[in-house]
Amino acid sequence: MADDLNDVTDESSESSEALIAVHWRDEGYYPPPAAFVAQANASDPAIREQFTEDKFPDSFTAYADLLTWSKPWDTVLDTSNAPFWKWFVGGELNASYNCVDRHLETHPNKAALIWVPEPESEAHQAITYRELYVRVNEFAAVLKDLGLKAGDRITFHMPMVPELPVAMLAAARLGIVHSQVFAGFSGTAAGHRIADSGSTVLVTIDGYYRSGDLLDHKVKADEAVEAAAKEGQQVDKVLVFRRYPGQYSAKTPMVEGRDVFVDDLLAAHKGEIVEPVALQATDPLFLMYTSGTTGRPKGCQHSTGGYLSYVAGTSKYYQDIHPDDTYWCMADIGWITGHSYIVYGPLALGTTSVLYEGTPNYPDAGRPWRIAKQLGVNIFHTSPTAIRMLRKVGPDEPAKYDYRFKHMTTVGEPIEPEVWRWYYESVGKGEAVIVDTWWQTETGGFLGSTLPGIDPAKPGSCGPAALGILPTILDEDGNEVPAGSGKAGNIVIRNPWPGVFQTIWGQPERFVSTYYAKYNKDQKSTDWHDWPYFAGDGATQAADGYFRILGRVDDVINVAGHRLGTKELESVALTVNEVAEAAAVPVIDDIRGRVVEMYIALKPGFAATPEVENKVKMAIETDIGKIARPKNIWIVPDMPKTRSGKIMRRVIAATSNFTDTGDITTLANPEIVEKIRHQVQSAKLAKGEVPRELSESELNEIKSFGSE
Ligand code: WTA
């Protein structure tokens, strides 16, 4: 099958560098085109001098200076309550002001957002900064009227419509902490997050388009309110936007007293202006939930001043955003990428940010390129999964459309060199730089990436550390793994940076234990040098300083760039009455990177039927959402276990991936391995799920899955 990672072409074998641990042949370098360098925000390598370790933390004031502050900060970095870092202490600002109001002086009539509805019969909508200002103010007036104020939380369960950034900026205007839940998540998942954050108001929409269907989204609000109530959190108001104002597109009835149409509420606040509240730099701006090793998602809390500075700075130097660019990040605002690099970063810089409602290949694989051509997009940002998919279904489509990108981004998962080259040659037409940006929900913005006007790109590597970031690779004992050693280890960031999240909402101990405890030797230390940030990713560093990210070292499966916790999936499966044990494992997938397969053992007396399988599927869809639906569910007679009763996830992961199960002599029930292998693999072959040969890093990942 295609996409063999070892399959590198001659052009890319010129580098003299040693082979790295995973034995991928090192790739060649792709220098930026002269035309790009000539206009780049960063084209002089001397910029790195401003961000060296001896200049830390003051170096990051260069990012903070991109914003407008109502009161300057006194202290750049306060480490007194390590590792709860405080950036720009004493400073005051407002994110909504910075993303909207301040651009009215220079370019009120320029498009802030261009929204592209999925149906091609519907025209796109350009929303100028002036119009955005009006809409944000009116919605802020609505929120204020509900009694919401700085520090309160509000949950959004919104798809890719302009009302979402409007709502975010309206909340930010008042200091209300927003928590946007990806629209593809189920109502129940939204409900868990409402309860965790303590929101009393939910903002939703009646419907939106996905792959040609106008989905009923309002039904999820009812589920969300019910799920939150079960956890003791009452939702007083559900604000319902309408996809077509004045016309209700959902079948689910409105609940009297609780549900209100936003367009009705707005009518009472026409033209109202709400002054932006001056907030402390350290006040929270939003929560973004992400999966971890336990069943409960973590609400990553991001700050106002540090976060906004960091996304503005990285948008400027890494996305190379200029005010006259048309920038399109084809991610969803429901994820951190959309928060940082659709809304806050690009709007803080006053550029035009494109929002697309639908799926990339609807109605065909030419859609993204038609949008790019029509809107004159010149910076394009997407994920490896989307690139793999567009390459598979429409490899020749980009050539049919006359658009020109100067810059392209990839984010969220490792990208295979083969796929990188299609992105470069076919999508970028050999004229655009590519940045492969490595970062996380927790980190707010990019940690590893090439500076596009300075560094050559190297397919499969994210590149060196971002400006001011000091990463290193450590082994399990905390020893440094040197660059060029050919060995992999845990990537850590030695220093704090302004974009780093402040805490896990309501779980400060978990914040410390998950991200800082591993390599901290003195819990009382207030010296940042003692608190390396543990990212949870395996990586290698080549002799040239470029990092290659190998993937998660914890029990998280990265499906199409979305993090799913195995424990989260398993605990949902266990809610099905018949299920005694459940184990989720990753399967290498050519499009989605990884997909999930679930193994189930039943309680005595229950038979393996398609109904049980279906119940598990439904439970996952209901509790988490369709994106988490396992590709296969295997009901097995027993799980392979150690003598102490622990499920050996690596053995079933090997089974699902057709790889060697390794040593099974230490199992309590080794005979089960062959039974399961026969059951699963013959069923997979019958379905046409033929395995391909895996690369060495993929083999390693499967071999060590769940070993922690
Ligand atoms: C993975 C997405 C390789 C990594 C912004 C990380 C990547 C997790 C890259 C975070 C990349 C992200 N190359 N792997 N360029 N970017 N990852 O929180 O495992 O949804 O820890 O944030 O995605 O996913 P999250």
Side-chain angles (χ1 to χ4, degrees):
M1 302 237 329
D3 285 353
D4 187 338
L5 306 191
N6 293 309
D7 174 25
V8 291
T9 60
D10 287 339
E11 101 199 284
S12 54
S13 59
E14 293 153 7
S15 165
S16 61
E17 220 179 89
L19 298 186
I20 61 164
V22 287
H23 293 214
W24 275 357
R25 193 121 57 108
D26 209 19
E27 300 288 325
Y29 293 111
Y30 290 73
F36 181 84
V37 178
Q39 59 82 62
N41 283 329
S43 55
D44 182 353
I47 191 171
R48 286 222 160 79
E49 300 306 311
Q50 299 165 34
F51 285 90
T52 48
E53 187 163 354
D54 57 310
K55 304 209 175 74
F56 178 83
D58 294 356
S59 44
F60 279 117
T61 59
Y63 285 2
D65 286 338
L66 296 172
L67 306 179
T68 305
W69 296 74
S70 50
K71 180 171 173 278
W73 57 88
D74 313 309
T75 310
V76 175
L77 173 64
D78 174 354
T79 64
S80 59
N81 187 23
F84 299 87
W85 315 120
K86 295 195 189 79
W87 282 90
F88 308 120
V89 181
E92 290 180 5
L93 77 167
N94 183 283
S96 180
Y97 177 87
N98 272 280
C99 292
V100 187
D101 307 36
R102 66 173 181 152
H103 304 308
L104 299 185
E105 280 171 31
T106 43
H107 44 263
N109 296 322
K110 177 186 145 82
L113 301 168
I114 302 180
W115 179 56
V116 182
E118 188 183 77
E120 279 189 293
S121 55
E122 289 182 24
H124 65 256
Q125 293 176 19
I127 300 168
T128 65
Y129 274 96
R130 175 79 215 169
E131 233 174 308
L132 183 61
Y133 173 77
V134 171
R135 289 174 69 167
V136 165
N137 272 286
E138 288 175 353
F139 194 62
V142 168
L143 297 180
K144 202 173 164 188
D145 220 27
L146 291 173
L148 292 170
K149 55 180 191 318
D152 292 345
R153 279 82 53 211
I154 186 167
T155 298
F156 303 150
H157 196 200
M158 293 282 289
M160 286 292 284
V161 292
E163 287 76 9
L164 173 54
V166 166
M168 289 162 73
L169 294 163
R173 200 165 186 84
L174 296 166
I176 303 164
V177 182
H178 60 74
S179 166
Q180 151 68 7
V181 178
F182 172 59
F185 275 135
S186 66
T188 307
H192 294 321
R193 288 155 175 79
I194 289 171
D196 190 84
S197 63
S199 302
T200 54
V201 175
L202 169 66
V203 181
T204 190
I205 194 166
D206 55 351
Y208 66 101
Y209 281 97
R210 246 359 239 183
S211 301
D213 298 322
L214 182 56
L215 305 180
D216 181 345
H217 190 62
K218 161 62 171 60
V219 63
K220 291 188 176 178
D222 300 332
E223 293 160 5
V225 171
E226 196 189 316
K230 276 197 195 135
E231 295 180 40
Q233 179 63 41
Q234 189 184 317
V235 174
D236 302 325
K237 279 278 172 276
V238 176
L239 307 187
V240 185
F241 279 105
R242 284 189 273 200
R243 175 64 175 70
Y244 299 98
Q247 171 188 330
Y248 189 46
S249 302
K251 292 204 181 66
T252 340
M254 297 286 278
V255 174
E256 224 185 285
R258 186 196 74 186
D259 299 354
V260 209
F261 289 127
V262 180
D263 41 339
D264 289 346
L265 290 179
L266 284 171
H269 297 283
K270 273 262 155 282
E272 218 168 288
I273 297 298
V274 177
E275 282 309 312
V277 176
L279 296 160
Q280 296 291 319
T282 50
D283 283 339
L285 177 60
F286 67 86
L287 305 178
M288 167 64 63
Y289 282 85
T290 190
S291 296
T293 12
T294 76
R296 185 174 165 200
K298 309 176 270 198
C300 296
Q301 177 185 317
H302 282 284
S303 71
T304 304
Y307 170 84
L308 198 64
S309 300
Y310 198 67
V311 297
T314 48
S315 293
K316 176 165 180 182
Y317 295 118
Y318 289 92
Q319 296 303 107
D320 198 52
I321 288 177
H322 298 63
D324 52 358
D325 286 323
T326 300
Y327 167 88
W328 181 19
C329 172
M330 202 172 63
D332 194 293
I333 299 177
W335 309 107
I336 192 70
T337 301
H339 275 51
S340 300
Y341 299 111
I342 296 178
V343 181
Y344 285 114
L347 296 185
L349 296 181
T351 196
T352 299
S353 185
V354 176
L355 246 69
Y356 173 51
E357 177 180 36
T359 33
N361 59 341
Y362 185 83
D364 57 69
R367 187 70 195 276
W369 324 127
R370 283 200 291 284
I371 293 172
K373 178 185 169 204
Q374 191 186 8
L375 303 184
V377 171
N378 64 341
I379 305 179
F380 182 68
H381 186 152
T382 192
S383 66
T385 290
I387 303 167
R388 290 185 207 108
M389 195 249 293
L390 291 166
R391 172 178 179 242
K392 184 173 179 199
V393 297
D396 304 323
E397 288 302 306
K400 296 181 189 160
Y401 299 94
D402 178 22
Y403 64 83
R404 285 184 86 145
F405 294 154
K406 66 165 181 175
H407 181 296
M408 303 192 300
T409 303
T410 161
V411 61
E413 321 152 59
I415 183 166
E416 300 78 4
E418 272 294 302
V419 178
W420 192 101
R421 277 190 289 273
W422 180 77
Y423 196 33
Y424 182 81
E425 275 147 22
S426 298
V427 179
K429 305 179 177 178
E431 294 178 338
V433 292
I434 296 183
V435 291
D436 178 347
T437 57
W438 168 70
W439 60 298
Q440 311 175 301
T441 302
E442 293 87 339
T443 73
F446 308 145
L447 296 179
S449 170
T450 47
L451 266 171
I454 297 171
D455 308 318
K458 189 164 73 168
S461 295
C462 66
L467 292 170
I469 301 292
L470 306 169
T472 189
I473 297 178
L474 300 180
D475 67 15
E476 284 300 308
D477 303 322
N479 304 310
E480 247 179 66
V481 177
S485 66
K487 298 210 178 68
N490 296 316
I491 187 162
V492 304
I493 311 298
R494 292 195 290 111
N495 62 322
W497 65 98
V500 69
F501 71 138
Q502 301 178 289
T503 188
I504 300 174
W505 180 261
Q507 304 180 73
E509 307 80 24
R510 190 176 172 197
F511 171 74
V512 179
S513 64
T514 308
Y515 299 98
Y516 293 99
K518 190 170 174 86
Y519 293 117
N520 169 258
K521 294 193 188 74
D522 173 9
Q523 287 185 31
K524 297 220 167 59
S525 174
T526 57
D527 180 349
W528 61 261
H529 293 87
D530 291 326
W531 295 95
Y533 169 82
F534 174 72
D537 279 325
T540 62
Q541 191 177 21
D544 59 8
Y546 280 35
F547 291 94
R548 178 167 273 161
I549 305 300
L550 304 172
R552 304 292 309 176
V553 298
D554 56 11
D555 289 341
V556 169
I557 305 177
N558 193 335
V559 179
H562 308 319
R563 285 158 63 176
L564 299 176
T566 50
K567 293 275 179 343
E568 215 175 319
L569 292 157
E570 291 163 5
S571 55
V572 176
L574 288 169
T575 63
V576 175
N577 180 42
E578 291 89 337
V579 175
E581 288 172 317
V585 295
V587 178
I588 310 286
D589 184 86
D590 281 338
I591 300 293
R592 294 158 71 80
R594 304 287 175 273
V595 293
V596 173
E597 290 198 359
M598 178 79 95
Y599 285 69
I600 299 287
L602 301 178
K603 290 177 187 160
F606 289 108
T609 58
E611 284 73 56
V612 178
E613 211 176 286
N614 221 22
K615 276 191 192 171
V616 173
K617 255 186 207 155
M618 286 312 293
I620 290 173
E621 266 186 41
T622 309
D623 212 74
I624 308 179
K626 282 203 174 77
I627 57 157
R629 187 166 47 191
K631 179 162 188 198
N632 290 305
I633 292 176
W634 307 112
I635 303 180
V636 294
D638 196 5
M639 298 279 187
K641 284 188 201 130
T642 61
R643 296 213 173 89
S644 59
K646 196 176 166 263
I647 299 174
M648 292 294 280
R649 286 181 174 70
R650 66 165 174 81
V651 173
I652 51 181
T655 304
S656 278
N657 286 281
F658 291 85
T659 60
D660 181 12
T661 44
D663 181 15
I664 54 165
T665 54
T666 57
L667 293 191
N669 53 351
E671 70 291 344
I672 198 71
V673 176
E674 186 49 32
K675 268 193 205 151
I676 295 181
R677 197 186 67 78
H678 180 75
Q679 175 194 345
V680 168
Q681 294 185 350
S682 49
K684 284 174 81 112
L685 290 171
K687 286 169 122 190
E689 290 178 23
V690 189
R692 68 162 162 86
E693 215 179 299
L694 301 189
S695 73
E696 195 153 340
S697 72
E698 291 170 336
L699 284 170
N700 278 334
E701 178 186 328
I702 300 304
K703 207 157 76 190
S704 57
F705 185 74
S707 61
E708 267 219 324

